[in-house]
Amino acid sequence: MTMQALSCEKCGVGVLVEKFSPAHTSIQWESDTSECPLISRSGSAPGDHGRECSALRDSIDRAVARRVLTESHIELPVGPKLPRLH
């Protein structure tokens, strides 16, 4: 699966998203994160990995619930298909 375009429902800032599971989401910003009003108000420095927008997270969760954004599932090998280290 590839990244899917999504805009924040609150401010409209666009991102590319790949949702692997309920707990794992990969986000690529299409613009600088300072364009997000919630992140710019947080006072975090650019490049700070703690920079997160709760409105964007909610937009992603709602898009998954409405099936606008699909969750890709990684199937891990099991049993005899499991690679073995030699």
Side-chain angles (χ1 to χ4, degrees):
M1 178 158 291
T2 60
M3 298 191 100
Q4 300 168 70
L6 185 75
S7 295
C8 178
E9 294 171 344
K10 184 170 181 108
C11 71
V13 170
V15 295
L16 296 174
V17 180
E18 188 162 6
K19 187 81 170 146
F20 296 102
S21 72
H24 185 182
T25 306
S26 181
I27 299 170
Q28 181 178 335
W29 291 80
E30 294 183 324
S31 60
D32 190 280
T33 57
S34 64
E35 291 185 27
C36 170
L38 293 178
I39 289 177
S40 65
R41 280 197 301 250
S42 73
S44 299
D48 180 358
H49 295 294
R51 295 167 63 102
E52 184 176 311
C53 175
S54 58
L56 177 60
R57 175 74 48 199
D58 292 344
S59 295
I60 292 168
D61 290 344
R62 281 191 288 278
V64 170
R66 291 189 316 261
R67 294 189 172 117
V68 172
L69 180 68
T70 56
E71 231 176 57
S72 59
H73 295 278
I74 299 171
E75 300 223 5
L76 299 174
V78 294
K81 296 178 191 173
L82 190 63
R84 300 194 188 274
L85 298 176
H86 296 271

